[in-house]
Amino acid sequence: MSKETIIKCEKQKPRFHAFLKINQAKPECGRQSLVELLIRPVQRLPSVALLLNDLKKHTAEENPDKSTLEKAIGSLKEVMTHINEDKRKTEAQKQIFDVVYEVDGCPANLLSSHRSLIQRVETISLGEHPCDRGEQVTLFLFNDCLEIARKRHKVIGTFRSPPGHARPPASLKHIHLMPLSQIKKVLDIRETEDCHNAFALLVRPPTEQANVLLSFQMTSEELPKENWLKMLCRHVANTICKADAENLIYTADPDSFEVNTKDMDSTLSRASRAIKKTSKRVTRAFSFSKTPKRALRRALMASQSSGEGKSPPSSDKRVMSRLSSTSSLAGIPSPSLVSLPSFFERRSHTLSRSTTHLI
């Protein structure tokens, strides 16, 4: 139970607020609120450490208790270090869970005990990879991988956690989870009039035979580009077991890689991106390239069962009748497919026979 949860329940539930006030007035609570009592176990160890340090200062060197106090202070420091390390790991795991909830379609293998979130960077895509130009892309840097997600165009529905609290819908869409070992070069794009705050990654995916260029423009002002690139190269070097992280950064001209940030926020560029997205949706809606696997599977099962002497179910009979009707229709020649020379030859032959009969 966190401090925020207690304050929220106290504001929303009057009976809970009255219960807290009644128990706070009791002498055994020492007029302390529930939030103050919950923080006491956390403050107990540091307060004991301060007490032992004060005792050590006022203890003479020849006193035999001096060494005992030093051992007690050392043991207490080890315990507090262990607690702080566990707290840091718990917070790191919580950050990964927050990323999983925020990114729709995030791979389940992102959750790992040895993985921790290092940095989050808001960018804009400048090329055709990993998504269309102008898309808002969020990069999540972990100690061994890079999660690439784009902003969702439509947010539908809400996710409800088991206790019944409504969780906000995922605002990002998963694109690619890339191991840091696939990053071959980190390109620092020079600042020009048409290119500001841009960088690129030269990546070699396992399914590609050539390198792929991923170019971005940083939109967050909190983290300088130089610090972000150094941080990224350091973790890439740790992943591929290299000590020279500085050798992974290369300075490049924007013209050599055709990277520019000009007119990214103009009305014309936004309109072109909207037209491109609409055309993609229309293409997917009217696409006939998908194979009806379920219907074919049922037809195959029905044919096998009929071959064995078993009557197929009613649903399979309907599928078979549809397939037979389509096959019978396919057997009828279309007028557009009739051979025109043979058609005119048959026509002329019929006319000659009719004139001969009349004569």
Side-chain angles (χ1 to χ4, degrees), residues 155-169:
V155 180
I156 303 174
T158 56
F159 174 78
R160 292 191 173 272
S161 55
H165 301 284
R167 184 179 295 276

Side-chain angles (χ1 to χ4, degrees), residues 11-246:
K11 291 180 178 179
Q12 294 180 353
K13 301 179 180 180
R15 295 183 64 183
F16 182 69
H17 174 73
F19 172 78
L20 293 180
K21 290 300 181 182
I22 291 172
N23 287 276
Q24 185 176 349
K26 293 181 179 180
E28 55 265 25
C29 292
R31 295 186 177 276
Q32 292 181 340
S33 64
L34 179 60
V35 176
E36 295 172 347
L37 291 174
L38 288 176
I39 203 66
R40 289 293 297 170
V42 181
Q43 297 175 345
R44 183 63 57 85
L45 289 178
S47 61
V48 172
L50 292 175
L51 176 61
L52 293 179
N53 284 320
D54 289 340
L55 288 175
K56 180 183 174 183
K57 289 179 182 179
H58 295 84
T59 303
E61 294 293 335
E62 61 275 5
N63 194 322
D65 294 335
K66 184 85 172 199
S67 59
T68 306
L69 286 173
E70 291 177 352
K71 290 180 181 179
I73 292 172
S75 301
L76 198 58
K77 286 182 178 180
E78 291 180 1
V79 172
M80 289 190 295
T81 303
H82 181 71
I83 292 174
N84 292 333
E85 184 67 20
D86 286 347
K87 181 182 178 182
R88 186 189 64 81
K89 290 181 179 179
T90 303
E91 290 177 352
Q93 292 294 321
K94 181 181 179 298
Q95 290 178 347
I96 298 179
F97 275 102
D98 292 340
V99 172
V100 172
Y101 286 128
E102 187 177 3
V103 179
D104 183 25
C106 187
N109 57 358
L110 182 66
L111 297 173
S112 179
S113 59
H114 70 277
R115 185 166 292 140
S116 59
L117 179 63
I118 306 299
Q119 187 66 42
R120 170 179 177 158
V121 178
E122 302 293 337
T123 64
I124 296 177
S125 177
L126 299 179
E128 300 300 327
H129 299 282
C131 57
D132 296 335
R133 175 180 170 85
E135 291 273 3
Q136 297 182 13
V137 179
T138 303
L139 303 178
F140 296 95
L141 176 62
F142 295 89
N143 58 334
D144 62 340
C145 63
L146 183 69
E147 167 64 22
I148 304 175
R150 65 167 175 83
K151 185 179 179 181
R152 294 186 64 181
H153 306 304
K154 279 188 178 181
V155 180
I156 303 174
T158 56
F159 174 78
R160 292 191 173 272
S161 55
H165 301 284
R167 184 179 295 276
S171 59
L172 300 174
K173 181 71 176 178
H174 167 74
I175 297 178
H176 183 55
L177 180 61
M178 180 175 59
L180 295 182
S181 58
Q182 295 182 6
I183 300 177
K184 303 304 177 183
K185 292 181 181 179
V186 178
L187 304 179
D188 185 6
I189 308 298
R190 287 193 179 96
E191 296 290 324
T192 60
E193 294 181 358
D194 297 337
C195 189
H196 298 285
N197 218 16
F199 70 96
L201 304 177
L202 203 61
V203 180
R204 174 67 68 86
T207 57
E208 300 290 338
Q209 297 182 355
N211 293 332
V212 178
L213 184 69
L214 310 180
S215 54
F216 305 95
Q217 180 190 18
M218 296 182 63
T219 58
S220 56
E221 301 293 339
E222 299 177 358
L223 179 66
K225 183 179 72 171
E226 182 181 0
N227 296 349
W228 156 248
L229 296 181
K230 287 183 179 179
M231 184 189 307
L232 176 61
C233 290
R234 184 171 66 251
H235 287 88
V236 171
N238 293 337
T239 304
I240 61 179
C241 300
K242 278 190 175 182
D244 49 350
E246 295 79 8

